[in-house]
Amino acid sequence: MPLEREFPKSHLVGFHYYHGRFLMYSGKYQEALEQLRIALCYTFSAALEGSNVAQNNLCRIYRFYFAVHVACHPLQSPRLPAGSPQVFHELFPLIANGQVSKYRAALNVHFGWLAKHELLVLFQKFDIITIRNAVKRIHDSLEPPHSRTKLPLQLIYNMLNGTEIWPLGIDHLASHLSSLITMGAIRGYVSLSPPYLVLSGKEPFPA
């Protein structure tokens, strides 16, 4: 079987790029990030050799690379290079800061651009990451007599302007929290009687 280095760079770029996108849509973000990083390395090499196609591919791969980076590091807003799409500068901080209403409004504004560049599905998935970061922001802001390990769902609902974000009520919020717990984005469980988010005492919001 031929070694990878024996293939043309253009073939290697395509393989790692599309493999990374496949992993991204499968929710395997860390593996996707590594594949896209490899694609970027090969593309940089080709660009330094003067390939105009490689210059165009850099922009294309970067769009997915930074989007997947957010999925891997949900509490960080990545440092974007000059020339990055303005939509990233707007959306990434909203995700990191857990600004759910503003994120959803911005998603609607940029719907066409994201769809055109095949990023819409991924950014729609980021909605739940934004919710996770919003809950962490509430957790970090609580002071006695509020408990940081036992948060009433009504408190979370009210602090996030619940009627706007979860028009179906607290049960809708509880289903999102349960999904985040299943994903491993929050450590704890949801108690329905009484309605609480019970958090782990150690790293309730894994980085």
Side-chain angles (χ1 to χ4, degrees):
M1 185 174 179
L3 298 173
E4 182 170 300
R5 65 173 178 268
E6 296 176 6
F7 288 92
K9 285 179 184 174
S10 59
H11 294 192
L12 294 172
V13 168
F15 171 76
H16 290 289
Y17 169 66
Y18 285 109
H19 189 200
R21 286 184 56 177
F22 171 78
L23 292 168
M24 176 189 78
Y25 290 127
S26 301
K28 299 177 180 179
Y29 299 124
Q30 199 64 53
E31 295 172 52
L33 193 68
E34 177 61 17
Q35 290 298 312
L36 293 168
R37 186 193 65 77
I38 295 171
L40 279 173
C41 289
Y42 282 124
T43 308
F44 269 125
S45 176
L48 290 173
E49 293 170 3
S51 169
N52 291 328
V53 173
Q55 294 285 353
N56 293 332
N57 285 342
L58 276 177
C59 296
R60 190 176 184 182
I61 299 168
Y62 257 129
R63 284 198 291 267
F64 287 94
Y65 179 84
F66 281 111
V68 175
H69 185 281
V70 168
C72 294
H73 307 283
L75 290 176
Q76 300 175 15
S77 185
R79 296 178 63 183
L80 297 168
S84 300
Q86 181 58 37
V87 61
F88 283 9
H89 289 278
E90 184 174 341
L91 291 176
F92 287 165
L94 297 177
I95 296 170
N97 295 326
Q99 295 176 278
V100 183
S101 294
K102 290 183 178 180
Y103 179 72
R104 290 179 177 176
L107 208 58
N108 287 332
V109 170
H110 298 295
F111 184 96
W113 188 93
L114 293 169
K116 177 182 177 182
H117 294 287
E118 303 175 79
L119 287 166
L120 181 61
V121 172
L122 184 65
F123 274 83
Q124 286 174 331
K125 289 183 178 180
F126 286 168
D127 183 76
I128 198 164
I129 295 176
T130 311
I131 293 169
R132 177 258 200 198
N133 291 344
V135 175
K136 183 182 186 302
R137 182 162 47 85
I138 291 171
H139 165 270
D140 293 347
S141 70
L142 291 177
E143 297 179 358
H146 294 294
S147 168
R148 282 192 168 189
T149 57
K150 195 174 181 181
L151 281 62
L153 295 191
Q154 186 68 56
L155 172 68
I156 300 173
Y157 186 82
N158 292 343
M159 292 185 75
L160 292 178
N161 300 317
T163 54
E164 178 186 351
I165 298 174
W166 288 285
L168 300 181
I170 287 181
D171 285 347
H172 192 199
L173 167 61
S175 69
H176 278 76
L177 294 174
S178 296
S179 294
L180 285 163
I181 291 167
T182 302
M183 291 164 54
I186 293 178
R187 290 178 180 153
Y189 64 90
V190 175
S191 166
L192 296 181
S193 183
Y196 278 95
L197 171 62
V198 182
L199 293 169
S200 169
K202 184 179 180 181
E203 293 188 63
F205 300 93

